[in-house]
Amino acid sequence: MSDSIVLIPTYNEKENIENIIRVVFALEHPFDILVIDDGSPDGTAQIVKKLQAEFKDRLHILERSGKQGLGRAYIAGFKWALERTYEYVFEMDADFSHNPKDLLRLYAACHDEGADVAIGSRYVSGVNVVNWPMGRVLMSYFASKYVRIVTGLPIADTTAGFKCYRREVLETIELDKIKFVGYAFQIEMKFTAYKCGFTIKEVPIVFVNRELGTSKMSGGIFSEALLGVIRLKLQSFTRKYPKKASKA
């Protein structure tokens, strides 16, 4: 078993899923993969199951009934990974907007450079987004700025969804208390890790908009984030966060 598992949540990703799996497995570091499929009617799960025969013991699938939200998919995946011996747990999209080769850089940031959380950041070195309409680039960029101002998070890309967590982070941050299910889930995870005292490192990446399949972003998801961060900050004044264990 690898020390690393890549969680890939899917809903109707039949055009991308086999390719992304093959590219990840071709990397020089041996990553395992867990696909978390929310009942895709297009047959995404069937493609993954067929590939399991080829990638025995490295490719896993967690099937859930219907769309329950990105946050819940990842929480289910985190719990699955923690029941096993993985030391590094990654979040990645299925649609190649995240370059699988950057998994190696996120791994190095945690494994070699000592970060507890590594973020594939679109904004830490300018704006590195390809093929997005300008309106969406600006919305995303200023949303991150807004979150940073409200929460005090010292992170340029607060809404990023390409990440590596050390096992200890996921064991510490009380996953059942993570409430947001959409876009704001990514913010809440970073904010909670930060409040628990974990070190967060941003690794500059280039984000490329998907070429195949359809985006799952919506206005409702975005507004959850805008209002949610205010609630997150207010609750932080009274909540006691578990602290990162100090090394002996």
Side-chain angles (χ1 to χ4, degrees), residues 7-213:
L7 309 185
I8 304 178
T10 55
Y11 184 77
N12 287 349
E13 291 289 356
K14 69 176 183 182
E15 296 99 336
N16 294 302
I17 193 62
E18 179 170 352
N19 288 338
I20 199 87
I21 286 168
R22 291 191 181 280
V23 172
V24 171
F25 284 151
L27 296 170
E28 49 263 44
H29 181 77
F31 295 95
D32 287 357
I33 294 175
L34 173 65
V35 174
I36 307 141
D37 187 69
D38 272 9
S40 297
D42 73 344
T44 299
Q46 284 66 39
I47 295 169
V48 176
K49 288 176 182 173
K50 190 175 170 187
L51 288 169
Q52 281 184 303
E54 183 178 345
F55 299 108
K56 196 169 170 56
D57 301 326
R58 294 189 65 194
L59 177 59
H60 310 277
I61 185 165
L62 191 57
E63 291 184 88
R64 294 157 16 105
S65 56
K67 291 180 77 174
Q68 299 174 45
L70 180 72
R72 291 202 181 104
Y74 272 129
I75 295 293
F78 293 153
K79 289 180 175 180
W80 187 97
L82 291 175
E83 287 169 0
R84 290 149 182 88
T85 58
Y86 297 106
E87 289 299 324
Y88 302 93
V89 181
F90 296 76
E91 293 182 10
M92 190 174 74
D93 291 348
D95 61 8
F96 284 94
S97 54
H98 303 142
N99 185 340
K101 289 181 181 176
D102 287 331
L103 288 167
L104 300 169
R105 298 169 61 226
L106 295 179
Y107 178 78
C110 288
H111 182 267
D112 303 328
E113 297 162 29
D116 296 312
V117 182
I119 299 169
S121 178
R122 298 163 292 184
Y123 306 129
V124 73
S125 60
V127 178
N128 294 307
V129 178
V130 177
N131 292 341
W132 259 9
M134 183 52 69
R136 187 165 173 192
V137 173
L138 292 171
M139 183 174 78
S140 174
Y141 179 76
F142 285 110
S144 269
K145 287 274 191 194
Y146 164 82
V147 171
R148 187 170 181 168
I149 291 164
V150 172
T151 62
L153 270 174
I155 297 169
D157 194 349
T158 56
T159 59
F162 190 23
K163 305 206 285 291
C164 173
Y165 297 95
R166 282 182 182 269
R167 178 187 189 89
E168 182 194 354
V169 178
L170 299 177
E171 288 177 330
T172 302
I173 64 176
E174 301 175 320
L175 293 173
D176 288 335
K177 291 188 178 179
I178 300 294
K179 298 303 179 195
F180 293 116
V181 297
Y183 201 53
F185 164 79
Q186 302 293 7
I187 302 164
E188 187 175 5
M189 286 292 294
K190 294 181 190 74
F191 183 72
T192 307
Y194 174 69
K195 295 296 281 186
C196 290
F198 290 104
T199 58
I200 300 172
K201 180 180 176 68
E202 290 188 88
V203 176
I205 63 156
V206 175
F207 180 96
V208 181
N209 195 31
R210 66 162 64 234
E211 292 183 7
L212 300 172

